[in-house]
Each structure stands twice: as structure tokens, then as C-alpha cells.
């Protein structure tokens, strides 16, 4: 997606440890018009996939996910993050390790809003090692819910998550594919 | 806002401690069409207020805030929550106590995205004791930023936040004003 690449080039900054900081328009300050365009793009990519619900993880996935839900006219669920969680019967949970923050969070989705007839589209802001997607996939499996695929705003293709998950058969559509962050500069595939 | 009242009546549940649970359409599962309508409503209410930016607090404020930003064509900032925070020179921070969760969080906004010429509209999902709004007002004051007012999805008018903040001169527009949650039932003002 050209518009997103341009935003990354203009406003993204590269930090040590292959961190691409996009808090100017995605995960602290948010550009609502860009979010709307991204939502329409995901809706177009998955228009024939029979999606009945969007899943994402708080917080940075919410804006693109809600715009995708609007474009596809389906509800959105954002999984909640908790540092730890006493067992709750009414929640599906999974563990998600964050390499950036070096913490493990539980993510949870209320069973009340999950139906076995759902076909979910997983939206997230970043795909690097694939931990957040794997957490959502675990929940989908536990719930017996079909997954149409994933919609990622920025995929770091030089990290292993996307490759491994595609190998497992997951459809992944990424709006920007960053192939390198060497020398403080984002390089894109295509 | 009639549509929101109907949603609360149909899907809201009342929990002990005057908690109104709206995770069916607002803060876990999200109804994107309702969010869009709320964004348009806030934009209409504040159309002549010279708003240049929306501020909210993660996570449940993000969906209505981004839709308001879209309707008003201005950027959105969601303040980040942290349990504790080592002092960072590049952040404005404030303490926010949650009566529901009985925890204190730091909220923070990056100085990079705050300009003294900003006129901000504060959006949040709930107004009860007013802690989140007060945190954002503290940051606005520290940053020397003008506040146009607040846009609240659900105000509990039987709790003190709204009254006190209006007394201090803050304009607050609430889309649903819940005057009572007695006997497990939401009653509305107007």
C-alpha cells in the first residue's frame, strides 16, 4: 500500500534492535484517514473470504481493526491483555511473549462473543515473530472457530513470523512489507 | 443519542458496584457502525470549537476517538497506560486512579506530538469519577494546551466526576447519561 509506505518513509524512525517506531501515525498518534484507507484495503483483500468477525489485540490493533470492521460490516473484538490472570471459565486465553517489551502477557477473549460459526479475520499492527497472531490462532483453535486469514499493517519480512505462519497454511496479507531496517532506514519488498 | 441508549438497554448488563458492562459493543466487542455514528455526533457537537486534535486513553477510548478524528479530519492521540514509569523527559505524564480496577496507572503522551497551538477534544468511553479526564487535563495544563471540551460515550451522572468538572468550567458532552443503575437496570436522563 503506497500511502502507508510513504508514511513510514516520512514519519517512521528506526531504533536499535530492529524497532520501527511509527507512533506518529499508528500506535500513539493515529491518522484516522490512513486507518480508514487501510480498513478498506483489508476489506477488499478479504471480500470473498466469508469473514463474520474481526479479532485484534489491544491497543494498537484497534484503530485498523475497527476501520476494517466498518468496511466489512462485521463486529470487532479486541482481545484484552493481562500480566497474569486467574483462571476464568468464561474466557479463552493464550500467552503472548513480546520480544520488544520482553514480557509475557495473557490475552483473552470472552466466550460470550465467540460462536462456532464465526469465520474470523485477525488484524494487527505489526508482524515480526508472530507471537500475537499465534496467540489469536490458539484461541481460535480452542474455540473451534475458522480463521479466514490475517491482515497486518506492517510486516517485518526479515523476521521469522510471517514465513512460519504461511508455512502452516495461514493466509497473511500485509499492507507494508519491510525487508530491512539496516542503517536506520526502512527498505520495502515489491 | 437514541441509538446508543437502545444498545445499552439491549446489551448492557449491570454488575455489583454500579458497574455497567458494555463489552458487547464498546469495550471488548466493538460495533463499528455505532462507533462511526458516535464519531459524527461528537464532530457535530464540537464543530465550531476549533478542535485541532483528539486525545483519549487506551484502550476503550480508541474506537470512538478515531471515528471522531475521522469525522473532524484531525489526528488522534491515545495516551499510553503504564503501571509505573521511570521518568522520561520526552513524555507528559499524569496519574489516573481506577475505582473499578482499584489500581493507579500512569498515562503518558509524547511531547513530540503536542503543540502549544493545539486545541484538544478529550474523548473517553466512560465518565464516572472523572479520573481519566482529570489526568488528560493535567497533561494539557502541563503542556500549555487549550482544551475545547470532552466527549463521553456514557456518563454516570449519579457519580461525581461530571458535576465537578463542569463546575471547573469544562464543557462535557455525553452521548448517554445514565442516572441510575439501581435494581440492575440502567435509567437515563432526558
Amino acid at each position: 500500500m503506497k500511502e502507508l509506505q510513504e508514511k513510514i518513509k516520512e514519519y517512521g524512525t528506526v531504533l536499535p534492535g530492529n524497532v520501527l517506531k511509527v507512533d506518529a501515525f499508528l500506535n500513539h498518534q493515529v491518522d484516522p484517514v490512513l486507518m480508514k484507507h487501510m480498513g478498506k484495503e483489508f476489506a477488499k483483500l478479504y471480500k470473498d473470504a466469508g469473514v463474520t468477525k474481526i479479532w485484534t489485540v489491544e491497543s494498537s490493533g484497534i484503530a485498523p481493526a475497527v476501520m476494517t470492521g466498518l468496511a466489512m460490516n462485521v463486529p470487532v473484538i479486541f482481545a484484552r491483555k493481562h500480566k497474569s490472570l486467574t483462571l476464568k471459565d468464561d474466557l479463552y486465553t493464550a500467552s503472548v511473549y513480546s520480544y520488544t517489551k520482553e514480557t509475557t502477557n495473557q490475552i483473552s477473549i470472552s466466550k460470550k462473543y465467540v460462536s462456532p460459526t464465526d469465520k474470523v479475520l485477525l488484524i494487527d499492527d505489526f508482524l515480526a515473530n508472530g507471537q500475537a497472531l499465534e496467540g489469536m490462532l490458539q484461541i481460535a483453535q480452542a474455540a473451534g472457530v475458522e480463521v479466514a486469514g490475517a491482515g497486518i499493517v506492517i510486516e517485518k519480512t526479515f523476521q521469522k513470523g510471517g514465513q512460519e505462519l504461511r508455512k502452516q497454511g495461514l493466509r497473511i496479507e500485509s499492507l507494508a512489507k519491510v525487508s530491512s531496517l539496516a542503517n536506520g532506514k526502512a527498505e520495502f519488498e515489491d
Side-chain angles (χ1 to χ4, degrees), chain A:
Chain A
M1 193 184 175
K2 195 79 189 156
E3 181 186 0
L4 175 61
Q5 282 195 13
E6 294 304 323
K7 284 274 178 185
I8 295 170
K9 280 182 197 164
E10 191 168 352
Y11 299 107
T13 51
V14 180
L15 301 183
N18 282 323
V19 173
L20 176 61
K21 205 168 176 187
V22 287
D23 64 355
F25 60 88
L26 181 59
N27 47 25
H28 180 41
Q29 184 166 253
V30 178
D31 178 339
V33 175
L34 176 65
M35 297 302 123
K36 186 183 172 186
H37 294 167
M38 296 190 320
K40 285 192 171 175
E41 187 67 19
F42 286 131
K44 203 170 80 181
L45 288 162
Y46 282 99
K47 72 174 168 18
D48 299 320
V51 172
T52 65
K53 206 162 277 192
I54 313 281
W55 286 6
T56 188
V57 176
E58 64 179 348
S59 295
S60 303
I62 295 175
V66 171
M67 289 300 181
T68 309
L70 185 68
M72 301 188 89
N73 198 27
V74 298
V76 175
I77 294 178
F78 60 91
R80 290 290 198 166
K81 274 182 202 164
H82 312 261
K83 279 277 178 258
S84 68
L85 197 75
T86 48
L87 191 70
K88 288 211 174 178
D89 286 345
D90 54 347
L91 297 176
Y92 293 110
T93 63
S95 285
V96 172
Y97 179 73
S98 164
Y99 284 87
T100 320
K101 295 180 185 162
E102 295 179 345
T103 54
T104 298
N105 283 296
Q106 298 279 328
I107 63 167
S108 63
I109 288 182
S110 171
K111 290 185 181 177
K112 216 183 340 176
Y113 305 118
V114 176
S115 148
T117 59
D118 279 340
K119 191 163 181 187
V120 300
L121 170 60
L122 312 176
I123 298 281
D124 211 2
D125 57 337
F126 272 98
L127 169 57
N129 290 293
Q131 297 290 304
L133 279 187
E134 275 177 18
M136 287 193 278
L137 288 170
Q138 272 176 43
I139 290 177
Q141 193 164 29
V145 158
E146 202 181 341
V147 175
I152 300 296
V153 179
I154 301 171
E155 178 178 349
K156 294 173 177 172
T157 58
F158 58 93
Q159 287 179 277
K160 65 178 175 30
Q163 204 181 356
E164 286 184 357
L165 288 164
R166 285 187 183 94
K167 225 182 278 172
Q168 292 168 31
L170 183 68
R171 177 180 173 192
I172 304 175
E173 301 286 350
S174 302
L175 301 186
K177 290 183 170 180
V178 174
S179 54
S180 163
L181 290 171
N183 305 316
K185 196 170 167 295
E187 301 282 352
F188 297 94
E189 269 185 31
D190 328 316

